[in-house]
Amino acid sequence: METMSRDVAAMSGYGASSAAAGPTMHQWSPYVMNSGTVMAICGKDFAVIAGDTRMSVGYQIQSRNVGKLLKVTDKAVLGTGGHCQADTLNLQKLLRARMVQYEHQNGKTPKTSAVAQLVSQMLYGRRFFPLLTKNIVAGLDEDGVGCVYTFDVVGCLERVRVACDGSAEELIQPVLDNLLERQHQQDKPKPPPLHVDLSREDVVNIVKDAFTSAGERDITTGDHVDIWVIDASGVHQEKFDLKYD
Amino acid sequence: MFRNQYDTDCITWSPAGRIHQIEYAMEAVKQGSAAVGLRSKTHALVASIKKSSNELSSYQKKIFKIDEHMGIAIAGLVPDGRVLAKYMRSECLNYRFVYDGPLQVGRLVAQVADKSQLGTQRAGHRPYGVGLLVAGYDQTGPHIFQTCPSGNFWEYHAFAIGSRSQAARTYLERRFEAFEELPLDELVMHALLSLRETLAAGAELTTSNVALGYVTAGGTFTVLEDEAVQPYLDMIGQADAPGAPGAAAQMEE
Amino acid sequence: MFAQPADDPRKNTLRPMVTGTSAIGIKYKGGVMVATDTIACYGNWIRYKDVQRIHAVSKDTLIAMNGEMSDYQKVLQILEQKRLAEYCVDDGSTQTSAELHSYLTRVMYQKRCKFDPLWNMLLVGGFRNGEAYLGYTDLYGTHFEDNFLATGLGMYMALPLMRNQWTPEMSEADARALLQMALKICYYRDTRASNKVQIARVDASGVHIDEPITLQGEWNHARFVEGGAKSGDGGW
C-alpha cells in the first residue's frame, strides 16, 4: 500500500497486504503475536509453572525481559504464552482487580479452582472478540495437592497434570507426555490421577530441559525462563537463562 | 434539637439559613460509637469502638480496608458507611486498573465529599448518616481526613468523631504535637488511650470492642482486631500502673 | 474528512497517512534520554520537514512518537487534558511517569478494541526520586518497560546497537553519543529518516527538549563510492 508506513507494517507484521480495489473495511487486524511459551507440572504437594521472558514481534525481539507469569494468590499463578501482550495485560489487570474484590467481599482469598473458573469466565466473556492468550493456571488445590488448569482462548477449562501452551507447545508437550503421562507405554507405571509421580527437583529439571530444547528451535522462546514453584509456604521464584539469539 | 416546619427534606431552607436534615444527619454521626485517627511522620492510624446490640450478637465492623494504602473508620449509620466503603474500594480499584498505582487519599476524600453533597441537595434523597475518618499513605505522605454527611471534609493531625468524642479530641489536642516522631506502637497507645476517654463510666476497652487499622509508606493497610489488639491493651494497662514510665509521662502533661 | 453515505458501514482510519519514523530512548545514570528525527512523510514524500516528535506531558515525563502524526496530536491532546485536570486539583502531587504510561496504554488498548487505533508507537520517559523510567506502548496496547527502547525500523537497526553498548553506568554524554550514532545508522538505511534530529532528556532538573541538530553523514566509504561487487553502480 502506497502510503502505508513501511516501518509500521514491518513492525506489526500485519496490515500491509491489501492494495486490492474496492472499499477498505476493517481489514486491519487488532491482534499482534508477541508469542512465547508457558508450561506447568504439578506434583503431590507442589506445582511448577514456567514461562520465558522474550517478547517478540515477527522476527524482532522487542524485549528480553517481559515476564509471562502473574501471582494471583499465594497458591495460584497464571501463566500466559503464545499471546498478544496487550490482551494478556488486560486479562491480568482484570484478574487482579477481581481478586481484590473477592477478598473485600468474602474476607479470604479464592481457591485455585475458583481462580481457574474465573479465568475461564473472563475468557468466555470475550467469546466474540477473543483475548489472544493461551493460559495455564497452576497452584495448590484445597487439599494441598498440586493442580494445573489449561484453557483454550475462549475459556474451555480442564484440570490436568502437565500442560504447555504457546509457540513451543508442539515441541514440549510430546516430551511431557512421554516422561510424565506415559499413557500408552504398556511397561511403564501410570501417574496418579491428579499429579505426576516425580520429585520437585526432577520436575524443575524437566522444565529447564524443555525450555532449553524449545529455545533451540522456536525463535520466539528464549532469553530467560521464570520458574515459579508453588508449595504450602508460598511461591518461590527462580530465573533460568536461555540462549540470547 | 427539636422538630420544626422546615426540616422535612433537604431542599427546604429554614429562615435562619439552615438545612435541618443535614444537621440531623450530623447528629447521627455524633451518636455512633467513637472513632479516632492520628498520624506520625511515618504512619497513619485509625481506631474505633465497636458496639454489639446485645450480649448474644456480634460486634459491628467499623474499620474497612479500602486499598493497600488506605482504610477508614466510621461513626454513625454503619450501613451507610458500608456503602461508602464499597464506593471508595471500587474507585481505588478503577484507579489501579487505569494507572497501575495508588489513588491519592485527598482526591478520593474529595470525591466522597462530592458524593455526600449530592444527597444534601436533591429531593427524594437523604444525606448519608455517617462520618468517616480516612487514614492513608500516598505520594504526599501520611494523611488523616474526616468527611461529614454535609459534604464537608478536612485534613487533620489527629481527630475523633462519634459519641463522646469531645473527650478524645481534648486528649489528642493536648498531645498531637508530639505524635510526629512517635513509633507505631506508641501511636497505637495514644489511639487507645484517647478512645478510652470516650467510654461511658464503668466500660472498658476489650479485645472485642476495639479495632485498629494502620498504614505506612509502601505498606499494606493492616487491621488489628480481637486477639491482635491484646498486646496493645496490655501496654496501656501497664502504662496505667503506678510507677510505670508511661504513666509518669502522662501525669506530667 | 471525506463525506460518507449514511448507509455505508462506519469506516475508521486503519492505515497511517502522514508518518514519523523511529523513536529511540535509553536510560542513563541520572536520567533518561530519547531521540527522533524531525520529518513527517506522506508515503515516500517528505511532507513536513520540521515537526517536533517529542513532547513534555508533565513536569517530569515526556513522550516520543512513531507512526501517524494526526493520531499523535490526538494523544497529546488527551494527555494535556489529563495534565490540566491534575493542575486544577492542586494537591501537591503529580502522576508518575509509570501512571501516565499505564493510562496511555489503556487509551491505546481501548481504541484498538474499537477497531479505531491510534496508529502510534510511543516511548514514555521520566525521572523522579532518582529513578529513571522508560516505557513503550503502541497501537495494540502493548505495554512494557526496558533500559533501552526503539520503535519502527529503529527496532531493527538501533536496538541491536543499544543492546551492545548500553550500560547502567552510562553518563549523559555517553547516552547522547550512543543515540546520535544510532540515529545516524537509521538515517543511512531508513529512506524516511532525516539527519535533522532532536534529542530530549529528563533528569533531576526536569524535562529538557534540545533544539534540533543536523548529523553529519559520512558518505565517502570506499564501498559507497566504488560501487557494489556486482553492478558497480554505487549500490551495495
Side-chain angles (χ1 to χ4, degrees):
Chain A
M1 187 139 295
E2 188 64 22
T3 48
M4 170 87 198
S5 157
R6 220 174 6 152
D7 44 328
V8 168
M11 147 321 118
S12 67
Y14 286 94
S17 61
S18 66
T24 308
M25 277 182 291
H26 285 194
Q27 35 122 32
W28 174 73
S29 167
Y31 293 115
V32 60
M33 188 55 115
N34 303 114
S35 239
T37 309
V38 286
M39 66 181 287
I41 301 171
C42 62
K44 195 156 73 72
D45 54 2
F46 67 92
V48 178
I49 183 165
D52 70 304
T53 64
R54 177 171 293 180
M55 198 176 103
S56 54
V57 175
Y59 291 124
Q60 178 63 40
I61 297 169
Q62 277 188 305
S63 177
R64 297 190 188 280
N65 205 20
V66 178
K68 293 180 171 59
L69 307 184
L70 173 75
K71 183 177 162 186
V72 185
T73 70
D74 284 339
K75 290 192 168 122
V77 174
L78 171 75
T80 312
H83 62 160
C84 174
Q85 195 256 358
D87 279 338
T88 301
L89 186 70
N90 191 251
L91 178 69
Q92 290 178 339
K93 274 173 169 283
L94 280 172
L95 189 59
R96 270 201 303 236
R98 293 291 292 270
M99 287 301 117
V100 176
Q101 276 180 323
Y102 186 103
E103 283 185 46
H104 282 328
Q105 281 162 13
N106 303 292
K108 60 178 182 181
T109 53
K111 297 181 291 192
T112 305
S113 59
V115 172
Q117 185 64 33
L118 178 59
V119 170
S120 166
Q121 300 277 0
M122 289 165 69
L123 292 172
Y124 195 80
R126 288 277 297 263
R127 171 65 181 79
F128 298 105
F129 183 15
L131 296 162
L132 182 49
T133 56
K134 309 278 188 63
N135 297 288
I136 296 175
V137 168
L140 300 183
D141 68 12
E142 47 274 42
D143 303 319
V145 178
C147 60
V148 172
Y149 293 88
T150 62
F151 308 83
D152 71 2
V153 280
V154 289
C156 176
L157 165 69
E158 188 186 10
R159 179 169 175 177
V160 291
R161 300 182 196 89
V162 299
C164 178
D165 238 328
S167 56
E169 182 186 352
E170 295 89 340
L171 300 175
I172 293 177
Q173 189 69 50
V175 181
L176 299 181
D177 291 345
N178 171 32
L179 293 177
L180 301 162
E181 296 279 15
R182 305 187 287 268
Q183 284 306 302
H184 305 284
Q185 301 175 21
Q186 302 292 330
D187 52 341
K188 296 277 177 59
K190 297 285 174 282
L194 293 177
H195 53 83
V196 303
D197 50 6
L198 264 60
S199 72
R200 181 170 161 158
E201 290 67 36
D202 289 345
V203 167
V204 169
N205 284 331
I206 287 177
V207 169
K208 288 177 179 171
D209 265 349
F211 268 99
T212 308
S213 310
E216 291 290 332
R217 289 281 175 164
D218 175 14
I219 57 166
T220 70
T221 298
D223 297 325
H224 309 278
V225 192
D226 286 322
I227 302 176
W228 293 6
V229 181
I230 305 126
D231 65 17
S233 63
V235 180
H236 309 277
Q237 307 185 356
E238 181 189 342
K239 215 167 188 124
F240 175 67
D241 291 339
L242 292 180
K243 293 197 306 162
Y244 253 39
D245 57 5
Chain B
M1 196 167 294
F2 303 99
R3 263 208 68 108
N4 64 66
Q5 57 183 318
Y6 299 107
D7 70 354
T8 28
D9 58 51
C10 258
I11 55 166
T12 308
W13 288 96
S14 83
R18 295 158 60 176
I19 298 171
H20 290 282
Q21 281 290 323
I22 296 177
E23 294 178 19
Y24 297 168
M26 304 283 277
E27 208 58 33
V29 177
K30 285 188 198 159
Q31 285 174 22
S33 58
V36 301
L38 55 166
R39 65 175 163 91
S40 68
K41 264 200 311 210
T42 53
H43 288 79
L45 182 153
V46 283
S48 84
I49 300 283
K50 297 187 288 187
K51 270 192 218 160
S52 74
S53 55
N54 62 52
E55 288 286 308
L56 296 171
S57 82
S58 63
Y59 287 81
Q60 274 187 311
K61 191 173 161 66
K62 298 252 295 170
I63 302 231
F64 296 85
K65 177 178 171 178
I66 298 300
D67 197 357
E68 291 302 304
H69 67 301
M70 192 188 330
I72 59 171
I74 62 176
L77 296 184
V78 177
D80 282 15
R82 280 206 314 272
V83 168
L84 284 179
K86 199 170 172 183
Y87 169 75
M88 293 171 81
R89 285 169 170 177
S90 92
E91 286 302 303
C92 283
L93 270 179
N94 282 339
Y95 191 90
R96 274 195 194 272
F97 184 87
V98 176
Y99 299 98
D100 205 16
L103 176 53
Q104 282 281 316
V105 180
R107 295 184 189 182
L108 179 59
V109 167
Q111 277 178 260
V112 170
D114 288 351
K115 190 175 162 68
S116 302
Q117 194 275 341
L118 288 181
T120 69
Q121 213 182 6
R122 288 188 177 173
H125 288 231
R126 66 163 173 81
Y128 288 106
V130 69
L132 309 182
L133 284 179
V134 185
Y137 198 109
D138 60 24
Q139 212 183 90
T140 45
H143 300 283
I144 295 289
F145 283 95
Q146 179 216 359
T147 74
C148 289
S150 58
N152 261 324
F153 68 94
W154 293 275
E155 182 166 12
Y156 289 96
H157 289 282
F159 200 61
I161 56 174
S163 63
R164 288 183 293 277
S165 58
Q166 183 54 53
R169 281 199 294 277
T170 306
Y171 176 99
L172 294 169
E173 278 161 16
R174 286 172 55 195
R175 294 170 177 80
F176 79 93
E177 277 157 330
F179 291 170
E180 280 288 281
E181 306 294 333
L182 289 187
L184 176 64
D185 49 355
E186 287 187 44
L187 211 56
V188 172
M189 280 176 64
H190 281 295
L192 293 178
L193 287 168
S194 62
L195 211 51
R196 195 170 63 180
E197 300 289 315
T198 71
L199 291 175
E204 272 186 38
L205 295 179
T206 66
T207 51
S208 44
N209 72 359
V210 177
L212 286 162
Y214 65 86
V215 64
T216 185
T220 301
F221 185 83
T222 310
V223 179
L224 299 180
E225 278 179 299
D226 305 325
E227 297 81 49
V229 190
Q230 189 61 52
Y232 296 104
L233 292 178
D234 292 345
M235 279 162 71
I236 61 166
Q238 280 163 16
D240 284 346
Q250 268 149 36
M251 282 165 74
E252 279 165 30
E253 291 174 51
Chain C
M1 280 299 270
F2 300 103
Q4 285 176 13
D7 54 347
D8 260 19
R10 195 174 66 117
K11 291 172 197 164
N12 295 318
T13 307
L14 296 177
R15 58 198 164 98
M17 302 298 282
V18 177
T19 60
T21 186
S22 322
I24 57 181
I26 53 175
K27 286 184 193 171
Y28 62 89
K29 199 172 168 57
V32 60
M33 191 177 283
V34 302
T36 64
D37 65 19
T38 56
I39 60 169
C41 301
Y42 179 79
N44 285 328
W45 174 34
I46 300 173
R47 175 65 183 81
Y48 301 100
K49 296 188 72 167
D50 187 21
V51 291
Q52 191 175 331
R53 295 171 50 213
I54 305 173
H55 287 85
V57 293
S58 79
K59 65 175 186 183
D60 56 11
T61 307
L62 54 72
I63 60 174
M65 69 80 73
N66 170 211
E68 168 64 40
M69 284 306 293
S70 63
D71 285 346
Y72 175 63
Q73 285 166 359
K74 179 70 185 176
V75 167
L76 287 179
Q77 281 172 16
I78 293 170
L79 291 176
E80 175 63 7
Q81 248 172 7
K82 276 272 136 199
R83 197 189 64 76
L84 275 177
E86 184 157 75
Y87 177 79
C88 294
V89 173
D90 192 25
D91 66 351
S93 75
T94 51
Q95 285 180 321
T96 61
S97 306
E99 284 178 312
L100 286 170
H101 181 205
S102 178
Y103 171 74
L104 194 53
T105 302
R106 289 347 289 159
V107 172
M108 300 300 262
Y109 186 75
Q110 194 188 33
K111 295 284 280 178
R112 90 109 210 192
C113 286
K114 291 178 177 167
F115 283 72
D116 186 17
L118 290 164
W119 203 299
N120 292 115
M121 281 131 275
L122 299 163
L123 302 185
V124 180
F127 188 84
R128 186 183 291 188
N129 300 333
E131 289 269 339
Y133 185 91
L134 182 60
Y136 168 98
T137 188
D138 65 17
L139 66 166
Y140 301 102
T142 309
H143 177 109
F144 63 94
E145 292 170 56
D146 215 330
N147 294 322
F148 40 81
L149 289 171
T151 70
L153 277 188
M155 274 211 293
Y156 289 84
M157 291 185 292
L159 206 53
L161 295 170
M162 295 196 281
R163 279 197 183 119
N164 280 340
Q165 298 194 14
W166 183 84
T167 66
E169 294 305 312
M170 284 185 117
S171 68
E172 187 192 319
D174 296 339
R176 192 177 296 274
L178 177 54
L179 283 190
Q180 288 193 5
M181 194 259 286
L183 285 168
K184 210 185 271 186
I185 299 298
C186 287
Y187 169 52
Y188 284 149
R189 294 283 176 169
D190 179 355
T191 56
R192 290 183 199 169
S194 157
N195 61 340
K196 193 177 164 201
V197 300
Q198 191 160 31
I199 296 179
R201 68 181 197 282
V202 193
D203 56 23
S205 61
V207 180
H208 306 275
I209 301 178
D210 298 348
E211 285 303 307
I213 54 170
T214 304
L215 299 176
Q216 292 307 317
E218 168 60 60
W219 299 96
N220 291 325
H221 298 299
R223 295 289 282 174
F224 287 12
V225 178
E226 289 158 13
K230 275 192 181 147
S231 52
D233 61 357
W236 73 94

